[in-house]
Amino acid sequence: MRLFKFIVAVALLAGSLLIAAPPTATALPQQEYDCHYYSDASYTVEVGWSALACNGSRSQGGVFTPYAICYYESCDLYDPRRPDEDG
């Protein structure tokens, strides 16, 4: 009976530590990207897009195809305290 009480006490302590643990921060991306998807290999008709910003926000729309052109830029100079230039 004593062993059972000890095991229960340890389990409750471990559970309370898990609940009390602070949430971990999600790391921001190392680079942002902007991808444009096209209907075929002629790359003339854009049918979709996707983007990942340095602040971690993602956006996408349209259709994804194998015909994509992506632009990447380092987030080394990104300062989350500075407002976006776009808005």
Side-chain angles (χ1 to χ4, degrees):
M1 186 67 171
R2 258 180 144 179
L3 179 62
F4 177 74
K5 287 181 181 179
F6 176 75
I7 292 173
V8 170
V10 170
L12 289 174
L13 178 63
S16 66
L17 290 176
L18 288 176
I19 292 171
T24 57
T26 303
L28 293 175
Q30 296 290 318
Q31 60 186 5
E32 65 181 4
Y33 70 81
D34 184 21
C35 292
H36 301 269
Y37 299 89
Y38 296 87
S39 60
D40 57 33
S42 68
Y43 294 90
T44 54
V45 179
E46 186 176 338
V47 295
W49 57 274
S50 64
L52 171 65
C54 287
N55 67 4
S57 67
R58 296 175 186 266
S59 56
Q60 62 188 32
V63 178
F64 301 113
T65 69
Y67 309 104
I69 297 176
C70 297
Y71 303 94
Y72 296 87
E73 189 171 330
S74 173
C75 291
D76 288 343
L77 299 178
Y78 174 71
D79 183 354
R81 296 166 298 185
R82 191 180 78 226
D84 292 336
E85 287 99 26
D86 296 337

